[in-house]
Amino acid sequence: MQHDEIQQIFLLECDEGLDLAERALLACKDGNEDAEAINSIFRAVHSIKGGAGAFGFTLLQSFTHKFETVLQQVRDGDKPLTPALLATLIRAFDVLTDHVSAIKGQVDAPSDGAISTELEAIAESDGSDAVQAAPLDPVTPNVAEEATDEEGDIDFDDLLAGLGAAEPVVGGHVLHLRPTMRALDNGSDPLLLIRELNSLGATVRTVDLSGLPDLDNFEPEGAYISWEIDVPASVSRATIEEIFDFVGEACGISIHVAGEEPRFTDVPVRSAAPTMPMVETAAAPVAAKAPTPAPAPVSAAIEAPKAVEAISVSAAPEAPATGPATQSSGNAGPVPTIRVDLDRLDRLVDTVGELVITQSMLAQRLSGAGVAAEDELSQLEYLTRELQDCAMALRAQPIRSVFSRVPRIVRELEAETGKRVMLTVEGEATELDKTVIERIGEPLTHLIRNAIDHGLERVEDRIAAGKAAEGSVRLSAEQRGGHILINVADDGRGIDRARVLQKAIDRKIVTGDARLTDEEIDNLIFAPGFSTAEQVSNISGRGVGLDVVKQAIQGLGGRVSISSEPGKGTTFSLSLPLTLAIADGMIVSCGGETLILPLNNVVESLQAKPDDLKRLSPTQHVINVRGSFLPVVPLTSSLGIGKTGAGYDKSVLIVVETESFGQIAIQVDAIQDQRQVVIKSLETNFRPITGIGGATILGDGRIALIVDVEALAAAAHSPRELDLAA
Amino acid sequence: MSIKLPAVIDRRAVPGLAVEISDTLAKGSHLQLDGSAVRQMGQIGLQLLLSAFKTAHGRDARIVISQPSAAILNAAKLSGTLDLLGLESTHAA
């Protein structure tokens, strides 16, 4: 594997680690802190630090080192997790997230001076200052660490009971860990790796001090200790290797099954104790194991010389830690996953799309030839659809990756606005196409900002209105049929429709005598340039945003709608397609061509009566549909694909809903069919054409263009020709 | 003779500490390292203490760590060096 590929894996694991850490931090904030939550944060930060060191991201490594130090103290019980300390950890997490974004090249490296200083001060404090005061709840220390306290009141019963019992764990692994002279660079510490192993129930079996110099030759940068560590059978080899994923060449390791010879010896493995190198000494006899001295008060001024010359030491086995050890056991582990290059995945999806088309063509050809193969064709169609669903599912990702950004946005907005927000997130596991996931972040961010900045009242106003001081913002996602519904709801003041309407009139978005429904007034906030913010702020109110949100959602084939109740709040609802590769389409014929209308735009189809049509100009007509006059758009002339073969009275009018221009009636010659179509991009395969959203291949092998209904409506409202007509 | 170990035994603290311990050992055969204030110690600090014990042994001197803090005990316990540092007897005390 190439360096870049490994680095890419590291970056992905950074994201995963940050996700886990944030969830654990938020759990702590919600009062659900426990040892595992703290361990989760620590492990994530530790892993990122390790990888940062391996890949030379020194700024990231330096920061994570400071962050990790404080986390370690919390984990060890040296620092109580007070609300103030938790707030600091959350801020440090945000900066860490920025650091990770910086190494991805997405942003500049953050300025971390202030938070670094804060972390260092906390690390060096004795735990008695204000930040440390008033712990939330005692954090249960890890079993491996809970044996000690400041007064030296140590519970070593289990430790002493295990002395001398250094036989390899039956069926377990033996890990040889030999840090190189670079192992302590940039704040790295192999002891943290051992701690990680220890949390899985591993115990040090022997210690190799052969390279340890005396003080006169001691270099602080040097790593002089190696270990032989017994790892329980419940821990998989993959789990062990994962711990060392990003250590790089800083530590040589080899792993073999206890009782067997090492399978690989990329690192020289020191064998049994008698051949172990010894600390140099001319006076003391070599001992295979340090003798245990008679108990003596440690406060005694002088003790007998210790048998430091013995470098093969039986370490005291400890009780395996709960939680992580059981989680890492083979059968109870996470579902195995494999990372696949996205290009390969897209090629698979594309090929499956071709298969669907070919299957459809085959069915049509056989049917035309009178071949009776209904069972086989039915089975082939079923299997093809199954394969297609499976292929599309490969591109699906949980929306969690987008939702996970929201808590930070809320925290920042709380700080900027002084408002208090209770964020509720639901449906994080809901899956969407990867492309939709990638493009939904910005619009969603804006809606959250809008909800807090415009939707929620200030604390004093909420209290005056008899509401809780803390405003509520609820973010949810759920699948509804072939769409995903995302709601951003607040319990704020609701849309001030009188103010919105007046602003729209002032900006000449609507005329002064316009009579609009509540829904239409609400939708004015999506008009380009509309803003009701009294002051321009960093958050919103620059007159850009919600119109961009609408465009972005439409660009994804989705819709956005609003419901609002004065004094009770506003809900923005985003309806998004599950995938961008397949759509339900209405197949129509027009001027000798076959075209596709996206079914999610279609409202109804009509056979127009002459009395229903009104002529506005030689080329413009409207139709009266139950009292509403809709512009009639002949598809032939709009797209320049020839003349329609029928008059209005003989053609079919298809009423479609558009986001920007409401409903229009598209005139076609006839409706042929309704079916799922595989969308082929014109941008990728040809060039973008206004009025055409893509193309598909029909069952008979012909190509059919997919109409871009929004562009068609826009053209109907402005006297210009579409590209295709040119 | 006694040396009070600092709160943080890291790369910055170790060079001075190594010299101080070495010099103190040169002046006498008994040295007590007061570990009560140590709150942060990783492999660097651990190595320093082990090297100090080795140096003392080579000079026929003795070192004892008194009042070892949780940080010291944790590091020694994790690394399997409790008895090398004379800390296993802490429990007995």
Side-chain angles (χ1 to χ4, degrees):
Chain A
M1 191 178 285
Q2 299 299 309
H3 178 274
D4 287 351
E5 294 174 307
I6 301 171
Q7 185 167 311
Q8 196 58 35
I9 291 173
F10 164 61
L11 294 177
L12 288 170
E13 297 202 352
C14 279
D15 290 339
E16 292 168 1
L18 289 173
D19 182 42
L20 289 172
E22 181 164 47
R23 276 192 269 170
L25 280 166
L26 294 179
C28 293
K29 191 180 178 186
D30 292 341
N32 298 322
E33 76 276 8
D34 57 19
E36 184 48 33
I38 301 297
N39 275 332
S40 294
I41 306 165
F42 179 85
R43 280 197 298 269
V45 174
H46 172 66
S47 295
I48 293 172
K49 187 180 99 166
F55 292 106
F57 298 124
T58 52
L59 289 177
L60 175 61
Q61 186 180 26
S62 172
F63 182 73
T64 45
H65 176 61
K66 294 162 192 161
F67 195 178
E68 180 187 56
T69 299
V70 175
L71 287 168
Q72 184 179 344
Q73 292 173 338
V74 174
R75 191 172 81 159
D76 291 349
D78 293 340
K79 295 275 194 303
L81 187 60
T82 64
L85 179 54
L86 179 60
T88 301
L89 294 180
I90 290 174
R91 277 187 286 117
F93 172 82
D94 289 342
V95 173
L96 173 59
T97 304
D98 290 342
H99 268 297
V100 172
S101 297
I103 65 170
K104 292 178 181 174
Q106 295 170 345
V107 297
D108 292 335
S111 173
D112 64 9
I115 189 71
S116 291
T117 303
E118 202 173 332
L119 289 171
E120 286 173 332
I122 293 170
E124 293 179 11
S125 70
D126 62 3
S128 62
D129 57 15
V131 174
Q132 313 302 331
L136 293 168
D137 278 312
V139 174
T140 308
N142 202 350
V143 172
E145 280 85 53
E146 69 185 0
T148 64
D149 65 18
E150 284 295 313
E151 286 71 46
D153 183 13
I154 309 162
D155 181 6
F156 282 147
D157 285 344
D158 54 340
L159 187 151
L160 290 172
L163 275 175
E167 290 304 314
V169 178
V170 175
H173 294 94
V174 178
L175 167 71
H176 295 265
L177 171 61
R178 191 181 69 170
T180 70
M181 292 305 279
R182 290 180 46 209
L184 302 177
D185 285 355
N186 302 312
S188 295
D189 194 335
L191 273 193
L192 296 176
L193 302 173
I194 297 178
R195 183 187 295 275
E196 192 82 2
L197 290 164
N198 182 259
S199 72
L200 299 173
T203 54
V204 171
R205 187 166 182 242
T206 63
V207 185
D208 182 350
L209 298 178
S210 59
L212 183 72
D214 59 21
L215 287 175
D216 295 335
N217 299 300
F218 189 84
E219 295 288 342
E221 294 82 9
Y224 302 113
I225 313 177
S226 301
W227 288 272
E228 191 178 47
I229 299 169
D230 286 329
V231 186
S234 60
V235 181
S236 70
R237 184 188 180 102
T239 302
I240 301 170
E241 290 173 343
E242 198 173 288
I243 293 173
F244 295 89
D245 258 358
F246 298 112
V247 174
E249 297 174 355
C251 286
I253 64 165
S254 71
I255 307 167
H256 65 94
V257 176
E260 294 180 4
E261 289 299 311
R263 288 185 184 174
F264 60 93
T265 54
D266 51 337
V267 174
V269 178
R270 301 179 193 285
S271 57
T275 59
M276 283 282 203
M278 306 298 170
V279 173
E280 294 172 11
T281 171
V286 170
K289 177 182 177 301
T292 303
V298 291
S299 55
I302 304 296
E303 280 194 351
K306 297 298 299 178
V308 71
E309 61 273 20
I311 48 77
S312 180
V313 180
S314 297
E318 297 163 359
T322 57
T326 51
Q327 286 174 15
S328 64
S329 63
N331 294 334
V335 177
T337 58
I338 181 172
R339 296 184 195 282
V340 179
D341 185 84
L342 188 58
D343 286 342
R344 291 187 187 184
L345 202 56
D346 285 344
R347 208 157 62 230
L348 172 66
V349 171
D350 205 41
T351 306
V352 171
E354 298 288 347
L355 179 63
V356 170
I357 292 167
T358 306
Q359 177 268 329
S360 179
M361 291 167 67
L362 177 65
Q364 193 156 331
R365 181 72 65 90
L366 292 175
S367 174
V371 177
E374 288 180 8
D375 288 347
E376 291 82 355
L377 279 178
S378 175
Q379 182 70 3
L380 177 61
E381 182 176 358
Y382 169 75
L383 291 174
T384 307
R385 295 290 173 187
E386 280 286 302
L387 183 60
Q388 188 178 29
D389 289 346
C390 290
M392 297 313 301
L394 293 177
R395 276 186 59 88
Q397 292 185 319
I399 201 167
R400 179 180 295 111
S401 60
V402 179
F403 280 11
S404 64
R405 303 179 205 165
V406 176
R408 177 176 184 180
I409 295 167
V410 171
R411 288 197 295 274
E412 290 173 349
L413 289 174
E414 281 183 306
E416 288 177 42
T417 64
K419 296 176 181 176
R420 289 166 56 190
V421 183
M422 167 66 80
L423 174 69
T424 308
V425 179
E426 295 173 1
E428 293 172 283
T430 306
E431 292 190 329
L432 269 169
D433 183 85
K434 177 177 165 52
T435 303
V436 180
I437 292 277
E438 287 169 349
R439 290 161 61 181
I440 193 67
E442 285 300 318
L444 203 58
T445 297
H446 198 96
L447 288 179
I448 294 289
R449 286 176 167 266
N450 186 77
I452 296 173
D453 194 30
H454 294 302
L456 295 183
E457 311 93 331
R458 291 176 301 173
V459 172
E460 55 270 31
D461 293 339
R462 289 183 64 87
I463 293 172
K467 292 181 173 180
E470 195 172 51
S472 166
V473 172
R474 181 172 169 273
L475 177 61
S476 64
E478 61 178 307
Q479 182 172 346
R480 285 198 183 170
H483 285 74
I484 297 295
L485 184 68
I486 299 173
N487 283 329
V488 179
D490 67 67
D491 71 342
R493 58 172 71 91
I495 292 177
D496 184 344
R497 295 193 175 105
R499 188 156 154 257
V500 167
L501 182 59
Q502 187 56 50
K503 183 73 76 176
I505 292 170
D506 293 345
R507 301 201 170 191
K508 301 189 189 315
I509 295 170
V510 294
T511 58
D513 58 352
R515 292 188 177 182
L516 304 178
T517 64
D518 286 352
E519 185 182 349
E520 288 169 332
I521 293 172
D522 291 347
N523 277 289
L524 288 173
I525 64 175
F526 289 118
F530 185 91
S531 175
T532 59
E534 301 293 343
Q535 292 180 323
V536 171
S537 70
N538 288 332
I539 304 164
S540 57
R542 294 188 183 279
V544 294
L546 289 180
D547 58 324
V548 176
V549 168
K550 188 174 183 179
Q551 287 172 13
I553 300 304
Q554 286 176 349
L556 290 169
R559 297 180 181 202
V560 55
S561 59
I562 317 171
S563 64
S564 183
E565 193 171 347
K568 293 192 174 177
T570 303
T571 299
F572 287 85
S573 298
L574 312 182
S575 176
L576 293 160
L578 277 174
T579 171
L580 301 180
I582 299 171
D584 287 317
M586 177 180 280
I587 303 174
V588 298
S589 55
C590 194
E593 298 289 336
T594 300
L595 295 152
I596 310 289
L597 294 176
L599 205 56
N600 64 341
N601 290 98
V602 174
V603 177
E604 61 181 322
S605 58
L606 306 167
Q607 194 84 47
K609 298 173 186 171
D611 291 347
D612 295 334
L613 288 161
K614 304 292 179 190
R615 179 177 167 179
L616 299 179
S617 72
T619 57
Q620 288 183 300
H621 290 76
V622 292
I623 182 170
N624 183 353
V625 180
R626 292 181 288 277
S628 295
F629 286 92
L630 309 180
V632 176
V633 181
L635 209 49
T636 47
S637 58
S638 296
L639 297 178
I641 53 175
K643 291 184 180 296
T644 180
Y648 283 120
D649 55 335
K650 293 183 179 176
S651 60
V652 177
L653 294 177
I654 300 178
V655 178
V656 295
E657 180 77 44
T658 69
E659 295 290 350
S660 306
F661 302 99
Q663 294 184 351
I664 62 171
I666 297 176
Q667 182 195 3
V668 301
D669 291 346
I671 297 172
Q672 291 184 8
D673 201 356
Q674 182 176 308
R675 68 173 56 170
Q676 268 196 341
V677 294
V678 179
I679 301 171
K680 299 289 182 183
S681 167
L682 281 186
E683 288 90 335
T684 306
N685 300 300
F686 181 50
R687 68 176 174 85
I689 296 176
T690 308
I692 300 298
T696 192
I697 302 172
L698 300 173
D700 58 5
R702 287 183 299 148
I703 292 173
L705 299 177
I706 301 169
V707 177
D708 182 347
V709 171
E710 292 291 335
L712 205 65
H717 283 76
S718 61
R720 63 182 176 83
E721 289 184 327
L722 298 173
D723 284 358
L724 208 62
Chain B
M1 285 176 286
S2 176
I3 293 175
K4 187 173 179 68
L5 296 173
V8 179
I9 307 181
D10 61 4
R11 189 178 298 233
R12 282 181 296 182
V14 160
L17 204 52
V19 171
E20 186 179 4
I21 294 173
S22 182
D23 288 351
T24 307
L25 284 174
K27 295 173 188 171
S29 59
H30 305 285
L31 173 61
Q32 178 173 302
L33 298 176
D34 180 351
S36 60
V38 176
R39 302 199 174 275
Q40 185 182 330
M41 188 180 86
Q43 183 167 336
I44 292 176
L46 180 71
Q47 290 180 159
L48 172 78
L49 296 182
L50 289 167
S51 178
F53 272 73
K54 177 183 178 183
T55 304
H57 181 81
R59 296 179 188 176
D60 280 339
R62 287 179 179 178
I63 291 182
V64 63
I65 300 173
S66 65
Q67 301 179 66
S69 69
I72 292 178
L73 290 168
N74 278 337
K77 187 178 175 186
L78 269 178
S79 62
T81 56
L82 272 171
D83 52 356
L84 290 179
L85 294 171
L87 296 174
E88 81 280 39
S89 57
T90 303
H91 173 68

